[in-house]
Amino acid sequence: MNIVTLLPFIVLIGAMFLMTRSAKNKQRQAAQMRDQMQPGTGVRTIGGMYATVKEVSEDSVLLEVAPGVHAIYAKNAIGAVLPDDEYNRIIHGIEGSDDDAPVVPDDLSSLTEGDEAAEKAGEKKIDLGKDTSGDAPAKADASAEDEAVTAEKPADAAKAEPKAEPKDGKRDGGSDAK
């Protein structure tokens, strides 16, 4: 037989080997995680329920799902063993003391305090809004000039000029055809 005809089979067998190898690694890691369980540990089941481990036997686990409520689960039903700080954050809403976490202010006053210091230092604030103060006199002057020009034109010249097309391209007088 030719090696070229065997090449697809060799590649297929290699791919199957790699897939089963990664699946076995995941199973081994899950078994190690379940072996780390001990009474008092917080866990999440594969169904998404959070509970505290009370007792661990060979194939099952006794979980306290609520104060005074106990349930027996198979070890395979444990999806994750959670660290204490994560379990307390999820269940009790207790945040750990993270010194690296950014401080978010409760109001905007602390964000604007830096602007006053910048003004004192001589830095000029940049206003990104429209400047309407400079445009208003120019528009008023232009409208006065337009009125003067139209007053000087004779009446027949105004009639002879073609009407300008609307900017939106409608030629039917603005009515919508339905």
Side-chain angles (χ1 to χ4, degrees), residues 163-174:
K163 288 187 175 180
E165 291 293 324
K167 290 183 181 180
D168 61 356
K170 291 184 180 176
R171 295 187 179 141
D172 59 352

Side-chain angles (χ1 to χ4, degrees), residues 1 24 27 31 34 48 50 73 78 98 107 111 129 134-135 148 169:
M1 247 187 176
K24 284 182 183 179
Q27 286 177 350
R34 289 182 186 113
Y50 293 93
Y73 279 82
I78 304 301
D98 294 336
D107 60 353
L111 297 175
D135 293 343

Side-chain angles (χ1 to χ4, degrees), residues 11-46:
V11 170
L12 183 64
I13 291 171
M16 288 174 49
F17 172 74
L18 290 175
M19 286 190 290
T20 57
R21 183 174 164 211
S22 66
K24 284 182 183 179
N25 282 339
K26 286 181 182 179
Q27 286 177 350
R28 183 177 42 79
Q29 288 173 352
Q32 286 177 349
M33 174 205 55
R34 289 182 186 113
D35 290 339
Q36 292 175 354
M37 284 188 302
Q38 48 190 325
T41 307
V43 295
R44 181 182 63 232
T45 66
I46 57 174

Side-chain angles (χ1 to χ4, degrees), residues 110-141:
S110 63
L111 297 175
T112 57
E113 289 171 0
D115 294 341
E116 295 168 2
E119 287 178 16
K120 289 179 184 176
E123 295 178 13
K124 185 179 177 184
K125 283 178 85 175
I126 298 174
D127 185 19
L128 298 177
K130 278 190 171 181
D131 184 22
T132 57
S133 62
D135 293 343
K139 287 182 182 176
D141 294 341

